Amino acid sequence: MNIQEPLQLLGGLSPQTFMRRYWEKKPLLIRQAIPGFQPILDRTELLDLAAMDDVESRLVVQAVPGREKAWRMRHGPLARKSLPPFKQRAWSVLVQGVDLHDERIHTLMNQFRFVPDARLDDLMISYATDGGGVGPHFDSYDVFLLQAHGRRRWRIGRQKDMSLVPDMPLKILANFEPEMEFVLEPGDMLYLPPRWAHDGIAEGECMTYSIGFRSPCKGEVAREVLQRLAEQAEDEAGDAIYRDPKQEALTHSAEVPQAMVDFAVDAMRAALRDPLALQRALGEYLSEPKPNVWFAGGAELPTGGVRLDRRTRMLYDAKHIFINGESFRAGGRDAQLIRTLADQRYLQAGDMARLSEDARDLVSDWCEAGWLYAEQ
Ligand code: SIN
Ligand code: CO
């Protein structure tokens, strides 16, 4: 992708300008980001997905007559028969991770790869009947809201009062104060930075695609990285035994000796001695597939080019390649070629032929695992 080229998708801004001026800074409304956009999945196809076991979905029903503030939510799988009738107002089905199930949706999401893959999360599709939505709320991540079918009225604002309506099955802002309002038609798109409050209400039957981003919190990153480091800690720190020839006799028998604390600090340092261990653990964590993803196991290495399966997460850093939660050291021409595979998500036959035998063996294993397959 040429990051300096103006994109219709970004209202004529280049990805570079968009990132500098808007990303994480302010909302952007883009009329006709995708001119003539037609929904990729129709209502039946979407609701079929919502009924599947390995697809994350939710039903949100609003406005029980006479009880304006009542919201109901049910997690999927959502059998078609269990949904309200289409002529009933104000209900919505939200289907998460549609990019994992549909190649066309995956291709649409790839248009947003000017943002790092480590940040790109999924494409969610919502279907709503007239008046439907999930109520005024804020998200902790950035989102592009692409209108796919019908119209939706978005009200947005930099909410100061973040208090929520108590005892609701979903997070609804108690005192939403919108600052701006837009009606989105098919092909229009709204970018919202994290924590901007928003409320999207369907005007007639409506479908919205949300391209969502991953914003892990520090605590989660620490836990995930430390968990992976812990697995190797015993090998790294070694089996030296605690000894205390200088221990004095004492009366406060229950007190932890300072020498024991020093020993623990030393053990921790030893476990973290490998300067690349943290990068490796981070890459493995970031490239971990979604919990509901299973690879069926694939074929032998094809003779031509290869393409990553749409569910494969592949990343790299200066010293490693990460694929679906595993890490590999790579250098030289092999690293360069495998990075091309990660960036393009395919590698053409000519480049495949330039891989060393070891690297080909590795790619062959990935092929057998079903992580990539023959480029059509
Ligand atoms: C929706 O599509 O109904 C909700 C999307 C969002 O608010 O993030
Ligand atoms: Co939202």
Side-chain angles (χ1 to χ4, degrees), residues 124 134-135 137-139 141 143 145 154 192 196 198 210:
M124 177 189 84
V134 295
H137 66 282
F138 64 90
D139 300 307
Y141 47 81
V143 66
L145 298 154
W154 285 102
L192 288 180
W196 267 72
H198 51 287
S210 302

